[in-house]
Amino acid sequence: MTDDPAGDADTGSRSASSSGPHRLVTGRLVIATHNPGKLAEMRELLAAYGVEAVSAGELGLPEPAETGTSFAANARIKALAAAKASGLPAFADDSGLVVDALGGEPGIHSARWAGPDKDFRRAMNEVQTRLVKIGAKTPEQRRARFVSALCVAWPDGHVEEFQGEVAGTVVWPPRGNLGFGYDPLFRPDGHDRTFGEMTSEEKHGLPPRGRGLSHRARAFLKLAEACLRRRP
């Protein structure tokens, strides 16, 4: 396979929770995550827009229970909790790996599969073990998607929500040590390398420098179009 942009079609969709014009993000923004990898990616995506980002961890905010049944619901829970606790707009992501042959798992439980010590090597082994158990050996039997739901919430309860995804294949063994989470396990369509073998710029670079390949970048492009303005 070769790096072919034709394989990069985004099948995610954008939705806002309220009718009327989108609300712009200005000033400080809380990134509602305690995950260092996600924090670094989100700060990188926000850099071009002159937004001053501070993390929930830096503010000492607690992590709310993610009781939603979808990526969008969990992103909303995290963003609203951080916005109300901080008095500032808050930006949250909920994302994960959806493996078709496993009935969509690990899905919203992607982080949980890594356990309290965030051992994603163990989580990737679990994905492979389950695929082997059901005899999923060919690329067609190992189809998967990375999904990212983004939510920006304000202290008054207003929310803006967006989603992006990228399709690909689960490979074994994992390849590469870049990125985080399940990246070494996932080869996006149209590419011969996994996310674990790609640089941050290749995965998350936004136009005109990049193509916004990753699920998070695709969702972020929709958010940026609606709620952000590039700094001059």
Side-chain angles (χ1 to χ4, degrees):
M1 299 176 68
T2 58
D3 285 13
D4 178 4
D8 292 348
D10 181 7
T11 57
S13 60
R14 185 190 82 185
S15 63
S17 62
S18 58
S19 59
H22 293 287
R23 186 180 292 187
L24 291 179
V25 175
T26 59
R28 298 181 78 200
L29 179 69
V30 178
I31 302 178
T33 184
H34 291 72
N35 182 314
K38 284 188 178 182
L39 176 61
E41 288 185 0
M42 290 179 179
R43 277 184 164 152
E44 186 175 340
L45 289 168
L46 286 164
Y49 298 90
V51 174
E52 181 188 351
V54 59
S55 77
E58 290 166 341
L59 294 177
L61 304 182
E63 294 185 79
E66 297 179 26
T67 56
T69 58
S70 68
F71 292 113
N74 283 327
R76 190 181 313 122
I77 288 169
K78 290 184 282 190
L80 283 169
K84 291 177 180 179
S86 67
L88 296 167
F91 171 39
D93 157 273
D94 197 63
S95 57
L97 180 68
V98 176
V99 182
D100 294 347
L102 300 183
E105 293 212 7
I108 61 170
H109 305 301
S110 292
R112 193 175 303 172
W113 278 30
D117 53 350
K118 309 296 184 186
D119 184 354
F120 279 95
R121 170 61 67 171
R122 179 174 65 190
M124 289 188 284
N125 283 336
E126 181 65 20
V127 171
Q128 173 66 2
T129 297
R130 295 194 186 197
L131 287 173
V132 169
K133 187 175 182 179
I134 61 174
K137 298 179 180 179
T138 68
E140 292 75 19
Q141 296 170 322
R142 300 169 68 89
R143 297 292 297 161
R145 292 170 290 130
F146 261 132
V147 178
S148 173
L150 301 183
C151 179
V152 182
W154 282 259
D156 65 0
H158 180 84
V159 297
E160 299 277 354
E161 299 174 296
F162 309 87
Q163 184 163 304
E165 63 181 62
V166 57
T169 303
V170 171
V171 303
W172 195 261
R175 304 197 320 243
N177 55 11
L178 303 176
F180 68 100
Y182 296 89
D183 283 359
L185 199 69
F186 183 82
R187 184 183 66 212
D189 287 350
H191 297 260
D192 57 10
R193 291 174 297 151
T194 69
F195 272 175
E197 297 172 298
M198 294 183 184
T199 66
S200 178
E201 183 67 25
E202 289 177 292
K203 285 187 296 182
H204 311 300
L206 302 180
R209 294 178 60 188
R211 294 183 296 175
L213 172 61
S214 77
H215 49 306
R216 194 166 292 113
R218 291 176 175 186
F220 184 82
L221 283 170
K222 298 171 185 179
L223 184 157
E225 180 182 356
C227 301
L228 293 170
R229 294 292 179 267
R230 280 189 177 271
R231 61 187 177 189

